[in-house]
Amino acid sequence: MSELAIIADGALLIRDGRIEDVGPTRRIERLKAARNAVEVDATGCIVLPGFIDSATRPVFAHGVGESFEAGIQAFLEAKRTVLEENAASVLTGMARHGTLATEVLTGYGGDASGELRLMRLYASLQSRAAELVVSLVLSGYVPRDFDGGANEWTHNSLLPLLETAASLRLVQSATAMMGDQGTGAPEARMFLKAARQARVRTKIQTTPECSDTSAALALESRVTVVNGLEGPLPELCSALANSDVILALAPALTYAQHRDRFAPARDLIDRGAAVSLGTNFSREGNSDYNMLHTMSLACRFSGMSP
């Protein structure tokens, strides 16, 4: 990721949506496979692949900037048609800006049945405008009328739901949230272990205040992705860079929340880390789902190159 290989007067040979060969135009034109190809002249243009957004919440029924609790209540009271229309509008807008695949998070359901409803809603939206990868979220939010507390909710409701949703292929990953809206490390550790047993990808989403704890848990639990790290200790940065963990950065969320400390993407890349970008779109956090803006912010504030 640190050194770009620039090919002067380059060309791509694409077959059935996949890049088959790349190199100088003169060589690509002479290939047997290119004889009947349709030529698209992109001289002076920028060609980008369809973007993959690493975390979004396109389903909503509440206003911009309202609290997460308001989002849960609005979701529970909304008609399915309203939820579908709102989500389809967001996904269409994302596609218009180049995003063709996104991970979508649960969390608005309020309880196990609500989360299952949300996952089925995502299934109905599949391929409407983008490919969706659904992630079941463990967070600190529980129904207000649920007397058992967070531990009972985690043990008695969410883990069986994770197993059921995975078997029905309604969910492809599991996200443990740490920080303001999150849960504690013991519950997160248990949840991530259950996700591995259910054969779904694992992820941690954190806030800057929990960067050190989340980074350590990511290494311990061997998660696929950790999202939201901004300033973990240098030794943890080095350990993450030498691991298989992908570091998903969301500069648009940092920007939307008027914080001045952006994730050190250049330092992480130079250490050898695998870095990805996402918008972290949601109505209560960052209402910007434009990956082009996210890329611009990453270059401006996090030291990445175009």
Side-chain angles (χ1 to χ4, degrees):
M1 296 177 73
S2 58
E3 293 295 332
L4 296 178
I6 304 298
I7 302 173
D9 190 24
L12 298 172
L13 179 62
I14 300 173
R15 184 195 300 272
D16 297 327
R18 302 182 72 87
I19 296 175
E20 190 167 290
D21 209 334
V22 59
T25 299
R26 184 173 297 179
R27 183 181 73 80
I28 298 298
E29 288 177 337
R30 292 174 178 175
L31 294 175
K32 182 179 179 180
R35 289 177 182 173
N36 297 319
V38 176
E39 181 178 333
V40 179
D41 186 359
T43 303
C45 300
I46 295 175
V47 180
L48 295 169
F51 302 133
I52 301 171
D53 196 337
S54 60
T56 61
R57 278 194 169 96
V59 171
F60 63 89
H62 58 300
V64 175
E66 293 185 26
S67 66
F68 198 84
E69 294 94 330
I72 294 175
Q73 191 61 38
F75 172 82
L76 295 174
E77 296 173 354
K79 295 182 179 179
R80 182 186 177 95
T81 53
V82 172
L83 297 172
E84 285 184 337
E85 289 173 2
N86 289 345
S89 175
V90 170
L91 294 172
T92 300
M94 292 172 68
R96 188 168 59 248
H97 293 300
T99 299
L100 301 183
T102 180
E103 181 180 55
V104 291
L105 306 177
T106 69
Y108 285 141
D111 57 17
S113 61
E115 291 289 82
L116 187 60
R117 178 195 180 204
L118 180 52
M119 285 185 282
R120 293 191 184 280
L121 183 62
Y122 280 140
S124 71
L125 293 165
Q126 188 66 258
S127 299
R128 180 75 68 91
E131 179 183 350
L132 306 184
V133 175
V134 182
S135 187
L136 179 63
V137 173
L138 171 70
S139 73
Y141 287 98
V142 295
R144 295 193 179 279
D145 59 349
F146 191 80
D147 296 327
N151 288 335
E152 188 171 340
W153 153 249
T154 301
H155 281 82
N156 294 345
S157 299
L158 201 60
L159 298 188
L161 174 62
L162 174 61
E163 184 177 344
T164 299
S167 66
L168 295 174
R169 298 183 180 180
L170 291 173
V171 65
Q172 292 80 43
S173 73
T175 298
M177 293 190 68
M178 306 283 288
D180 295 340
Q181 300 175 359
T183 186
E187 292 83 9
R189 187 177 291 109
M190 177 187 63
F191 180 67
L192 295 170
K193 179 180 179 181
R196 289 194 300 272
Q197 293 173 344
R199 299 179 181 273
V200 299
R201 290 185 291 272
T202 53
K203 178 177 178 179
I204 292 174
Q205 184 151 341
T206 186
T207 59
E209 296 75 22
C210 290
S211 287
D212 291 342
T213 302
S214 299
L217 182 59
L219 291 166
E220 173 195 331
S221 301
R222 304 186 306 279
V223 301
T224 306
V225 178
V226 58
N227 191 343
L229 288 180
E230 289 191 9
L233 294 171
E235 57 268 27
L236 288 173
C237 280
S238 297
L240 286 168
N242 292 317
S243 72
D244 293 329
V245 179
I246 298 169
L247 306 181
L249 310 180
L253 179 62
T254 304
Y255 184 80
Q257 295 181 346
H258 307 289
R259 302 199 305 269
D260 57 5
R261 186 178 183 182
F262 287 77
R266 172 50 48 196
D267 179 54
L268 292 168
I269 291 169
D270 289 343
R271 290 171 182 263
V275 170
S276 71
L277 293 175
T279 63
N280 269 32
F281 166 82
S282 69
R283 297 284 281 184
E284 64 278 349
N286 169 42
S287 58
D288 179 3
Y289 51 66
N290 187 344
M291 278 290 289
L292 291 168
H293 186 225
T294 288
M295 293 164 63
S296 176
L297 292 171
C299 294
R300 175 67 179 84
F301 296 108
S302 292
M304 294 184 74
S305 66

